Amino acid sequence: MLKYFAVMIFSGMLSSFSQVLLKKSAMSKKNSVIKEYLNPYVIIGYAITALCMVLTMLGYRGVPFKYGAVLESLAYIYIMILSRLLLHEELTKRKVLGNLVIVIGVIVFSIGR
């Protein structure tokens, strides 16, 4: 069962990385519509998203659905960290507070079960 939880966590981290890649692509100026959708960031980002979908389905083989949603919500935290590291976005008090609320929710949900 632990390996399924690890797969779900890894899938969430990988999914967060793909979202950061897609945002990086959206932030850059493109000369044409084709380059907007057919560039390495977009292609890799969507390929990783597809892989994450498969990994999540595999993870749900051993993770109860009630925990799957909790593990998926941790992706917001991963996105905040990756955005800071890769996109050099500012960590505002509001972002940190929002992610803290998510962590508290995960802890409360985990203790309550």
Side-chain angles (χ1 to χ4, degrees), residues 11-35:
S11 175
M13 288 179 179
L14 204 56
S15 174
S16 300
F17 180 71
S18 74
Q19 290 180 37
V20 170
L21 282 178
L22 292 171
K23 183 172 182 177
K24 188 165 180 80
S25 173
M27 290 171 41
S28 64
K29 186 77 172 160
K30 308 292 186 302
N31 297 341
S32 70
V33 175
I34 292 176
K35 287 183 180 179

Side-chain angles (χ1 to χ4, degrees), residues 3 9 13 16-17 19 21-23 28-29 43 48-49 64 70 72 88 100 105-106:
K3 72 178 180 179
I9 291 169
M13 288 179 179
S16 300
F17 180 71
Q19 290 180 37
L21 282 178
L22 292 171
K23 183 172 182 177
S28 64
K29 186 77 172 160
I43 293 168
I48 292 172
T49 299
V70 172
E72 290 292 323
H88 308 290
L100 186 60
V106 168

Side-chain angles (χ1 to χ4, degrees), residues 56-72:
T56 299
M57 290 185 330
L58 291 173
Y60 271 123
R61 287 183 173 184
V63 173
F65 287 120
K66 62 184 177 185
Y67 294 118
V70 172
L71 293 172
E72 290 292 323

Side-chain angles (χ1 to χ4, degrees), residues 9-112:
I9 291 169
F10 178 70
S11 175
M13 288 179 179
L14 204 56
S15 174
S16 300
F17 180 71
S18 74
Q19 290 180 37
V20 170
L21 282 178
L22 292 171
K23 183 172 182 177
K24 188 165 180 80
S25 173
M27 290 171 41
S28 64
K29 186 77 172 160
K30 308 292 186 302
N31 297 341
S32 70
V33 175
I34 292 176
K35 287 183 180 179
E36 215 171 290
Y37 295 102
L38 294 177
N39 65 66
Y41 290 131
V42 170
I43 293 168
I44 294 169
Y46 281 121
I48 292 172
T49 299
L51 174 64
C52 290
M53 183 178 62
V54 172
L55 288 174
T56 299
M57 290 185 330
L58 291 173
Y60 271 123
R61 287 183 173 184
V63 173
F65 287 120
K66 62 184 177 185
Y67 294 118
V70 172
L71 293 172
E72 290 292 323
S73 70
L74 294 175
Y76 293 107
I77 297 165
Y78 308 143
I79 291 170
M80 181 184 71
I81 294 167
L82 288 173
S83 293
R84 175 68 183 134
L85 295 174
L86 302 176
L87 301 176
H88 308 290
E89 288 186 357
E90 183 181 344
L91 281 180
T92 63
K93 290 179 184 178
R94 192 174 192 171
K95 288 178 185 178
V96 173
L97 182 63
N99 280 285
L100 186 60
V101 169
I102 291 171
V103 170
I104 291 169
V106 168
I107 291 169
V108 168
F109 183 83
S110 299
I111 291 173

